[in-house]
């Protein structure tokens, strides 16, 4: 017969909430509009008083195209908790991504969330790289969904003849975004050139050229 201790352990496993694998903790109240001005923040934001909650706290506008006049031809309008405090404690957020013709959302990852996106307009090459350095890709068009597993490097490249529009949704109120190029070549303070030259097997002149190009891109200049 199964011992009482083992039976208790099995029962506990069965009744554990499925949401224990979610990216963010479950909410403990109906609403918790983020108080972004609060002086104390512990792994999230405290709630503003319910007496100060308004209808506008539950709505956010993603209807406007972003500014595509930059080196990457890319614009992201974020709907995370910093911009849309209503998602606080809800474990979700949504962005708007616009890509000009030939524009790219450079290789990056979201450390705290998976991503599910729907393409509204255009033709976009979506690429995903696993931790085993396997590359998966597909050209997707309007009406198609694509999934990015949590923490994997990925990119989107406009390969069509019109601007691309897609809406990514995340299972975190603050998924985070870490760009590969910025993480290596645009840190504060800078990663020593010796690390980068030995990693990429190139000379200082190559590393310095890459750093200069990325700095220029960050300032909004298009490459010549």
């Amino acid at each position: 017969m199964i011992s009482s201790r083992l039976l208790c352990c099995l029962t506990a496993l069965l009744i554990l909430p499925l949401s224990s694998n979610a990216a963010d903790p479950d909410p403990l109240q109906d609403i918790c509009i983020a108080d972004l001005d609060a002086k104390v923040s512990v792994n999230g934001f405290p709630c503003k008083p319910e007496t100060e909650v308004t209808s506008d706290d539950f709505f956010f506008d993603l209807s406007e195209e972003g500014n595509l006049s930059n080196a990457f031809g890319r614009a992201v309008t974020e709907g995370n908790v910093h911009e849309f405090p209503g998602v606080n404690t809800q474990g979700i957020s949504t962005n708007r991504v616009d890509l000009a013709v030939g524009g790219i959302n450079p290789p990056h990852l979201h450390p705290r969330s998976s991503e599910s996106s729907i393409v509204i307009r255009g033709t976009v090459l979506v690429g995903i790289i696993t931790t085993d350095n396997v590359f998966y890709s597909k050209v997707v068009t309007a009406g198609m969904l694509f999934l990015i597993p949590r923490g994997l490097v990925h990119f989107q490249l406009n390969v069509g003849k019109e601007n691309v529009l897609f809406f990514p949704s995340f299972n975190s109120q603050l998924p985070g975004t870490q760009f590969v190029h910025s993480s290596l070549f645009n840190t504060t303070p800078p990663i020593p050139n010796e690390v980068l030259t030995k990693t990429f097997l190139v000379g200082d002149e190559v590393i310095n050229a890459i750093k200069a190009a990325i700095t220029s891109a960050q300032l909004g200049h298009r490459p010549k």
Side-chain angles (χ1 to χ4, degrees):
M1 295 179 65
I2 300 176
S3 68
S4 58
R5 179 175 296 180
L6 178 59
L7 182 60
C8 290
C9 291
L10 291 173
T11 302
L13 287 173
L14 288 173
I15 64 175
L16 280 174
L18 295 176
S19 58
S20 62
N21 292 323
D24 291 353
D26 284 340
L28 298 178
Q29 58 277 330
D30 287 343
I31 60 175
C32 180
I33 310 302
D35 183 356
L36 302 181
D37 297 322
K39 295 182 179 179
V40 178
S41 177
V42 181
N43 199 29
F45 293 94
C47 314
K48 74 178 185 180
E50 285 199 32
T51 54
E52 298 178 12
V53 174
T54 69
S55 294
D56 287 341
D57 288 322
F58 300 95
F59 300 90
F60 189 70
D61 188 2
L62 291 174
S63 64
E64 296 295 326
E65 182 177 88
N67 181 8
L68 297 173
S69 299
N70 56 73
F72 300 110
R74 158 192 174 272
V76 177
T77 306
E78 295 182 327
N80 59 38
V81 67
H82 288 304
E83 305 299 329
F84 186 14
V87 302
N88 192 43
T89 76
Q90 299 302 310
I92 57 171
S93 58
T94 301
N95 290 352
R96 173 186 175 127
V97 179
D98 296 285
L99 297 175
V101 175
I104 187 170
N105 197 15
H108 62 283
L109 59 90
H110 304 292
R112 296 185 288 273
S113 179
S114 303
E115 172 185 340
S116 177
S117 296
I118 182 168
V119 179
I120 303 300
R121 181 181 65 242
T123 304
V124 59
L125 171 65
V126 178
I128 305 167
I129 302 94
T130 71
T131 55
D132 292 324
N133 292 326
V134 178
F135 175 53
Y136 297 98
S137 66
K138 187 179 182 67
V139 174
V140 295
T141 56
M144 298 181 68
L145 290 168
F146 60 87
L147 172 72
I148 309 297
R150 177 178 176 175
L152 293 190
V153 175
H154 59 285
F155 66 84
Q156 296 92 21
L157 172 66
N158 185 347
V159 295
K161 297 181 179 179
E162 63 178 334
N163 288 0
V164 161
L165 169 62
F166 65 92
F167 290 93
S169 293
F170 306 93
N171 61 328
S172 172
Q173 67 182 37
L174 193 60
T177 301
Q178 185 173 23
F179 285 99
V180 175
H181 63 283
S182 293
S183 296
L184 293 173
F185 298 101
N186 196 41
T187 60
T188 303
I191 296 174
N193 267 24
E194 183 181 7
V195 174
L196 298 173
T197 56
K198 290 185 175 181
T199 298
F200 292 99
L201 305 177
V202 297
D204 278 315
E205 66 281 359
V206 174
I207 298 301
N208 290 334
I210 294 174
K211 286 183 175 180
I214 290 175
T215 299
S216 178
Q218 299 283 29
L219 294 174
H221 304 311
R222 285 187 174 274
K224 296 180 180 179

